[in-house]
Amino acid sequence: MLWTSKELKKEGLKALNGNFAQAYLVVLICRIFTDIPALFFQTEMSEAPLLPKASVVMLIIYLVAAVFLISVLSAGKNAFFLKLRKGEVKFSSLWQFFVSGTARYFSVVKGMALRYLTVCAGLFIFILPGIACYYQSFFMPWILAEHPDMPARDVCRISRAMTKGQKINIFIMQLSFAGWGILSIFLVSRFRLVLPGNWAPFISTAVYVLPFVYYQAAAAELYAKLSA
C-alpha cells in the first residue's frame, strides 16, 4: 500500500483539530507515569555504592511498573488516538483496559510484554536484529488497542505482516518528526536556564511531549492505512 509521511501528517492534524488539548493531556499523563518510576530508579542508582540491594529492588519495581502499568496506559493512549481519528473524543480510553475486566487487562499485558521481550531478545543478539525486531513489532500496541482480546502470538504475527516491506518507510516517517523533536529539546534547554529549579522539570516535560502528540496522530493514521 502506498502512503507518504506528508499525507499521514495532514490527516493527523485534521484529527487533532479542535481536540489538541485532550490529546496533549493523554500523552502528557503517559509521559509522567513513565518518568515517575525512572526518577526513583535514578535516585537509587546515585546511591548504588551504599545501597546495592535497594538499587536491584528499584530496578525490579521499575520493570514491573513498565509491564503492568505503563504498557497498559500506552495501549489506552493508542486506543484514544484511534477513536480520535474517527471523530470520537473519549478521554477515558486512556485507562479503559484497567476497568474492562481482568481477562482483557492481562491480555493487553501479555501482548505488550511479548513485544518488550521480542525487542530485548533482538538487542541481546546485536543492535541490528534489535532494530529489526522493534519495527516488526511496531504495530503490536496499536493492534492490542483495537483488539485487546487477541492472543499475543496472533498480535505479533499480524504486526509482522503489516510491517513487511514497510520498515524503511516507517523509519522515514519517524525521521520526518526529527525537526520537531530537536526544537522541543532546544526549548527545554532554554527553559531549564531561566526557570526556577523546582519548576524546570515540570515545564520541560510539558514542552517535550508536544511533538509526540503530532506523531501519535500520524502513527494512528499509518496503522489505519496498513491494517486496512
Side-chain angles (χ1 to χ4, degrees):
M1 178 176 290
L2 298 177
W3 55 272
T4 64
S5 298
K6 184 177 180 180
E7 178 186 356
L8 296 178
K9 289 180 174 180
K10 183 179 179 181
E11 294 299 319
L13 284 175
K14 189 183 298 184
L16 290 172
N17 185 29
N19 302 308
F20 182 84
Q22 291 195 62
Y24 171 78
L25 191 57
V26 165
V27 177
L28 180 62
I29 290 173
C30 286
R31 182 67 195 184
I32 290 172
F33 274 93
T34 301
D35 287 345
I36 287 175
L39 180 63
F40 282 104
F41 179 60
Q42 290 170 5
T43 301
E44 288 294 336
M45 285 298 291
S46 65
E47 302 172 0
L50 297 177
L51 299 170
K53 291 183 179 179
S55 297
V56 172
V57 170
M58 289 308 300
L59 175 60
I60 294 173
I61 292 174
Y62 180 73
L63 293 175
V64 170
V67 173
F68 293 98
L69 174 62
I70 298 171
S71 65
V72 182
L73 273 177
S74 180
K77 174 188 63 179
N78 291 350
F80 170 86
F81 279 92
L82 288 177
K83 289 183 174 67
L84 186 67
R85 66 175 299 275
K86 297 177 182 178
E88 304 174 26
V89 185
K90 293 186 177 181
F91 187 81
S92 59
S93 298
L94 179 60
W95 56 79
Q96 71 177 41
F97 299 124
F98 290 100
V99 296
S100 57
T102 304
R104 178 164 291 182
Y105 168 79
F106 280 106
S107 177
V108 173
V109 167
K110 288 177 186 176
M112 295 296 284
L114 179 60
R115 194 204 178 194
Y116 292 156
L117 291 173
T118 300
V119 176
C120 288
L123 288 172
F124 182 77
I125 298 171
F126 197 61
I127 294 176
L128 290 180
I131 294 173
C133 289
Y134 165 77
Y135 283 105
Q136 283 180 346
S137 61
F138 184 82
F139 289 113
M140 288 184 68
W142 294 95
I143 297 170
L144 287 166
E146 191 173 29
H147 306 285
D149 299 316
M150 184 179 291
R153 288 185 179 181
D154 290 342
V155 173
C156 185
R157 176 179 55 80
I158 294 172
S159 179
R160 287 185 178 186
M162 289 175 64
T163 57
K164 188 176 182 180
Q166 298 286 351
K167 297 178 185 65
I168 296 297
N169 295 331
I170 295 172
F171 171 74
I172 293 172
M173 187 273 286
Q174 291 177 318
L175 198 62
S176 69
F177 287 89
W180 291 103
I182 293 171
L183 177 61
S184 68
I185 292 172
F186 172 78
L187 292 175
V188 165
S189 65
R190 297 302 94 187
F191 278 123
R192 286 185 178 275
L193 291 176
V194 300
L195 290 172
N198 294 336
W199 284 97
F202 299 101
I203 302 299
S204 297
T205 300
V207 174
Y208 181 73
V209 301
L210 283 170
F212 288 97
V213 182
Y214 189 14
Y215 169 76
Q216 283 290 137
E221 296 297 329
L222 176 59
Y223 168 76
K225 279 189 173 296
L226 294 183
S227 64

